[in-house]
Amino acid sequence: MVNLKEKPFFLDDGAIAWVEKTIAAMTLEEKVGQLFVQMRKSLDEQVIQDTLNRYHQGGLRWQGGDRNQVYNQNKTYQENSKIPLLIAANCDNGGDGCLSEGTFIATAAEAAAGEGVQTAYDMGYVAGREASSVGVNWMFNPCADIYMNWRNTIVNTRSFGDNADRVIENIREFIRGIHQSNIACCCKHFPGDGVEERDQHLVLGVNDLSVGEWDASFRKVYQTMIDEGLESIMVGHIALPEMSRKLRPGIADEEIMPATLAPELLTDLLRGEMGFNGVVITDASHMAGIACMEKREVAVPKAIASGCDMFLFSNDPEEDFQYMKAGIENGVITAERLDDALHRILGLKARLGLYQKEKVIPAPELKDQVVGCEEHLKLAEEAAERCITLVKDTRKNLPIRPEVQKRARLVFIQSTPTSKGYQGDPVKQVVVEELERAGFTVDVAPNFHDLEVSEGVRPENMFTMMSCGSMADFASKYDVVFLVLNIKGYAQENHVRLRWSCNHSSELPWYVTEVPTVGISLNYTNHLIDVPQVHAFVNAYGNTRTSIRAAIEKICGKSEFKGTASDTVFCGKWDTRL
């Protein structure tokens, strides 16, 4: 059973009395509701009241919206909830994960490339200030995964490095930054992502390290944070088969479950051996890593019975509520396990002082003072200056001087559009503007998707894209080519790679043999696997104007490259280094 006087709660007698009194007054339905963190998007007060009266949810996660929308929704929920809610946000890079106007500071990969840990602190500091200004009190961050496999794109930008010590240094500072605000942290995704290339959104994740390898890496990270008072841990839908086999001798392969459903990993290892006393929450429950492993009516209560305290999201709130309630009534979730989970949930709320009304919702003017403020924008500039990385320049193409290499061709490659409403990637225009600001004249290469929008769907678009023209003419027209890659992916494929806008596209980097070419990634760090022949390559890490401007200034020699690339950027291939 939890000890609320010990870390990470440190509750005094008054706070513990509130926890005990609150739990004692709960109906069974209210106890069931406390186990859920739901994503709700309605701003209608009556809908919110009806939802709370029916489901009594313990936590809320809001996805997207501006500062006023998020603040008003969070405020309405707290005002209408009998028990204060844990309100969570997912701020990997700063405040932009919580609010449409939030400040992007850096990705974890960017922070890892910079010297020291200041960027990680700034990410947490800004995320905490901007999120707390709209009523958030729980951060589903930092990411404690280790980027061991260059093919893994689900944690490529979210991991603070490829070794445990670097990850520990950065997540410690990220947490310190968050804690400048009244927000609890949550390390994810136990038992650890980044070893394989698959995405637990789409398939059961498998961390296939040996017990010894896991102990020296992921266990080291989590144990350090637990010892330092981490409040909560998000459990991934990731199996740890060698550890399961050690803790359950004779376990059959088909019995190996993701950690969310594996009591040997949660109760025996995390709670028992590692001594974690805080809150354990599942990752999102609609992900295939859990959804494909057990029937829903089994998985919902089994997650709590296995050692999770809270269950993240529902496919159908009514159905999941009844599954959880049935699990309590039929003994899958024992009375002791339920009581333990409730004490941890309410203990975290008490740790944050949520039983004191003044700590539940901030003053409405705070969000306007904090979100996107000058201090935060300055920290974003400093992060870009500190971390943007020259991965290679093997032909000594840099610096590019616009006063003598003025005529630029921009080849802009973006994620494949997924909507008929596509009207172009707005980041392309930002790149054009920043190149022109630096002194270049810019000619933008055609893009098949944009041609389909501007010219209509017609066969000629494909022929336009496939035409490279005369090499001599090309070399006479341009002094430099900028190949800019703005590619992101999420829960659609197991690893995201560069994809040209059509087959046999003129976007392909044949031009590297004709004029100096500079590749710039605005997101992933592993693009050299697909463009190894680009001899000058920069990881800018972000597609904000701040990041793009800083990268261009460095390419032009106006500022020094200070970031350092890890070996993972070369993807284990000799030709990527050429």
Side-chain angles (χ1 to χ4, degrees), residues 267-282:
T267 303
D268 299 1
L269 177 62
L270 184 58
R271 293 288 192 210
E273 291 185 21
M274 300 176 71
F276 182 56
N277 191 45
V279 171
V280 174
I281 182 171
T282 72

Side-chain angles (χ1 to χ4, degrees), residues 493-555:
E493 53 193 314
N494 273 308
H495 52 93
V496 182
R497 297 280 288 272
L498 190 157
R499 187 176 186 183
W500 311 101
S501 67
C502 71
N503 54 298
H504 296 292
S505 173
S506 59
E507 299 160 322
L508 288 161
W510 52 267
Y511 35 81
V512 300
T513 58
E514 306 299 326
V515 297
T517 299
V518 183
I520 308 172
S521 171
L522 302 183
N523 189 42
Y524 291 120
T525 65
N526 62 349
H527 283 312
L528 279 177
I529 188 65
D530 291 319
V531 286
Q533 63 272 60
V534 176
H535 305 296
F537 201 88
V538 172
N539 279 337
Y541 305 105
N543 62 9
T544 64
R545 187 178 295 273
T546 296
S547 298
I548 292 165
R549 178 174 298 180
I552 292 171
E553 288 180 349
K554 291 177 184 295
I555 288 165

Side-chain angles (χ1 to χ4, degrees), residues 43 50 106 175 188 223 242 260 313 410 412 440 449 454 464 483 496:
L43 296 171
D50 293 344
I175 290 172
K188 60 186 182 185
Q223 191 67 67
E242 292 307 309
T260 34
F313 304 153
L410 171 62
F412 185 89
F440 295 99
H449 309 299
S454 63
T464 297
L483 172 61
V496 182

Side-chain angles (χ1 to χ4, degrees), residues 89-94 108 120-121 123-124 127 138-146 155 158-160 167-179 183-190 221-222 225 230-235:
N90 208 35
C91 293
D92 288 343
N93 312 316
Y121 174 84
M123 291 162 64
W138 194 11
M139 195 66 69
F140 284 168
N141 296 99
C143 179
D145 295 319
I146 305 175
V155 300
R158 297 200 291 170
S159 169
F160 282 108
V167 170
I168 288 169
E169 292 171 354
N170 278 282
I171 64 176
R172 176 185 288 129
E173 286 302 301
F174 186 100
I175 290 172
R176 191 169 73 86
I178 290 286
H179 282 167
I183 295 185
C185 285
C186 183
C187 279
K188 60 186 182 185
H189 309 83
F190 183 87
V221 173
Y222 279 97
M225 294 305 109
L230 176 67
E231 297 99 335
S232 61
I233 289 175
M234 179 177 286
V235 179

